[in-house]
Amino acid sequence: MNAAVPNLTTATVPTSPHVMNTYGRLPIAMSHGQGSRVWDVNGKCYLDALGGIAVNTLGHGHPKLVPALQDQIAKLIHTSNYYHVPGQEALAAKLVALSGLTNVFFCSTGLEANEAALKLARKFGHDKGIERPEIVVYEKAFHGRSIATLSATGNPKVQAGFGPLVEGFIRVPINNIDQLKAATANNPNVVAVFFEAIQGEGGVNPMHMDYLRDVRALCDERGWLLMIDEVQCGMGRTGKWFAHQWAGIQPDVMPLAKGLGSGVPIGAVVVGPKAATIFQPGNHGTTFGGNPLAMRAGIETIRIMEEDGLIDNAVRVGGHLKAALARELAGVDGVKEIRGMGLMLGIDLSKPCGALVQRCADAGLLVSVTADTVVRLVPPLILTIAEADEVVAILCPLIKQLLVETA
Ligand SMILES: *Cc1c(COP(=O)(O)O)cnc(C)c1O
């Protein structure tokens, strides 16, 4: 074991006097993982239905990914964008083939991918002579926590304390084309429409297929960029490479991150012809973006997903999981809706259910709760039917118990 890494095998959970207090953490520290399971420093095993928040596409310790990353680390971790990085061309070619788009910019996180998308939209406007470009964004959206992306986010809690917000956003509700048209009527400054194909942090809220097609048509008619944030719902999670593909449409700009590197930090903005030449040398860049280690992680993640049929697995196991949850929770008072596609599912309850996160962990299951009332399941795409059954067997009794407790 690397001597620089503290050996957390004591029976106590570490406290963090020096790490800034930015997260409401559970009193659990993980030690290692294998497949869809992780073990904490006390040796307790958890079934991982969170996947590091839709990041660990291949689960933990994947036998094909680990040697590939070891090989890459020994060869080159980082050079710089002063030089060509062959892995960037290889991963870009793959993302272009999977999306039908044409060009890719690499960065390291979701908010950076979205930040690049927002800059693309603004420069798209300026290039057309629009001095004060405006971008349509959505209620309950989540696009990240930089100043620009938190301004695009539709959650007052994320924005509180960080004003003044970045201007130039018009906010509309999801799945209502008339409201989108009304909010943008006679406004020559609109340059783009920006949303998640399935809102993640906002509570697993899918855009309807008709709405996606209507917005695509409206963007074409008005000359706007359609920018679809696939940071959480992309990379095979819903059973297509990208969630918008269910509607048979293509965006002009598509930010990716989370699942793209199976845990190695990586982000990407994939664009089509309308956005491919907006950035010129000097307009945008990042030190870490597209480094050889991240590129190898992306290339190998996609290769292994294809080899192991993980898109089909997301459809099959996700469909099984959703049906089993529906069966187990049918008629339960307080279960409002089970939403989502593939292995991106949300169970919307009639009351706040944050307490379920700890209770599930105590019972050996990792889940998250988002938007106060929604239990979110975004497990690794390697999840098996048996593991999906295990999720249901642990989770559903805890949901029922919570719902019968008086507030
Ligand atoms: C997580 C997320 C982001 C932000 O990604 P970070 O890597 O945390 O910056 C942006 N958009 C969506 C849809 C996300 O789910």
Side-chain angles (χ1 to χ4, degrees):
M1 183 180 278
N2 186 334
V5 176
N7 187 2
L8 300 174
T9 52
T10 56
T12 55
V13 170
T15 57
S16 292
H18 304 303
V19 174
M20 214 183 277
N21 186 24
T22 55
Y23 305 100
R25 298 181 202 264
L26 300 188
I28 300 170
M30 298 307 175
S31 155
H32 60 283
Q34 194 60 55
S36 294
R37 294 185 197 270
V38 285
W39 284 262
D40 72 15
V41 294
N42 298 321
K44 181 177 164 76
C45 181
Y46 304 83
L47 179 57
D48 187 1
L50 179 62
I53 319 182
V55 166
N56 297 307
T57 304
L58 303 177
H60 306 275
H62 193 286
K64 293 180 183 173
L65 181 65
V66 170
L69 293 182
Q70 283 169 334
D71 170 69
Q72 188 60 51
I73 285 169
K75 280 184 182 148
L76 261 186
I77 295 173
H78 179 84
T79 52
S80 120
N81 286 310
Y82 283 172
Y83 317 108
H84 286 270
V85 178
Q88 289 183 11
E89 194 48 45
L91 182 54
K94 198 70 214 183
L95 290 171
V96 160
L98 298 176
S99 65
L101 301 177
T102 60
N103 295 84
V104 185
F105 172 83
F106 289 108
C107 52
S108 311
T109 66
L111 81 77
E112 281 181 85
N114 287 333
E115 189 83 23
L118 296 173
K119 282 182 69 176
L120 278 169
R122 282 196 168 184
K123 188 158 184 300
F124 175 74
H126 282 275
D127 289 349
K128 290 201 290 187
I130 297 172
E131 291 294 320
R132 303 188 64 80
E134 294 180 49
I135 300 167
V136 177
V137 293
Y138 285 72
E139 293 170 3
K140 298 187 188 172
F142 182 82
H143 297 298
R145 290 170 177 276
S146 68
I147 295 291
T149 58
L150 75 79
S151 299
T153 288
N155 180 347
K157 283 190 203 162
V158 172
Q159 297 171 337
F162 298 107
L165 300 181
V166 170
E167 56 190 324
F169 293 110
I170 298 168
R171 197 169 302 280
V172 298
I174 68 169
N175 291 324
N176 189 323
I177 194 74
D178 292 334
Q179 294 232 36
L180 172 58
K181 285 179 180 165
T184 55
N186 306 315
N187 184 341
N189 292 331
V190 176
V191 291
V193 179
F194 183 38
F195 56 77
E196 302 151 82
I198 302 179
Q199 292 183 331
E201 304 305 304
V204 190
N205 307 312
M207 293 289 176
H208 298 156
M209 298 299 149
D210 284 349
Y211 185 74
L212 289 171
R213 288 187 280 263
D214 288 348
V215 176
R216 176 69 273 179
L218 190 66
C219 287
D220 289 341
E221 190 187 307
R222 308 273 170 95
W224 302 337
L225 295 177
L226 175 56
M227 311 205 298
I228 304 187
D229 180 349
E230 293 256 2
V231 166
Q232 186 162 157
C233 58
M235 292 314 297
R237 179 150 296 282
T238 67
K240 295 270 190 198
W241 281 102
F242 310 109
H244 67 263
Q245 291 175 330
W246 286 105
I249 60 151
Q250 280 185 347
D252 301 302
V253 176
M254 175 174 70
L256 298 174
K258 291 198 166 82
L260 178 55
S262 288
V264 175
I266 183 171
V269 190
V270 189
V271 304
K274 275 196 199 167
T277 58
I278 296 171
F279 283 162
Q280 292 298 315
N283 287 147
H284 198 53
T286 158
T287 302
F288 287 115
N291 88 18
L293 176 61
M295 295 302 96
R296 186 73 182 268
I299 292 164
E300 299 291 341
T301 296
I302 293 172
R303 182 182 65 82
I304 296 164
M305 287 177 70
E306 287 180 328
E307 253 180 41
D308 295 0
L310 295 186
I311 301 261
D312 287 346
N313 196 64
V315 173
R316 197 172 58 90
V317 178
H320 177 89
L321 179 56
K322 193 176 185 187
L325 290 167
R327 208 179 314 117
E328 205 54 44
L329 296 172
V332 174
D333 208 29
V335 177
K336 283 170 42 183
E337 194 182 12
I338 301 170
R339 294 190 289 261
M341 300 172 80
L343 286 170
M344 180 173 185
L345 298 175
I347 306 160
D348 194 0
L349 306 180
S350 61
K351 68 180 197 184
C353 57
L356 280 174
V357 176
Q358 178 72 60
R359 292 183 193 181
C360 284
D362 289 344
L365 176 68
L366 303 181
V367 301
S368 80
V369 165
T370 188
D372 284 339
T373 61
V374 181
V375 182
R376 173 176 47 178
L377 304 175
V378 281
L381 303 189
I382 57 167
L383 198 78
T384 65
I385 294 277
E387 287 164 343
D389 287 338
E390 212 180 310
V391 171
V392 174
I394 298 173
L395 178 59
C396 289
L398 292 172
I399 288 177
K400 290 177 194 171
Q401 186 196 323
L402 181 107
L403 287 170
V404 298
E405 287 168 9
T406 49

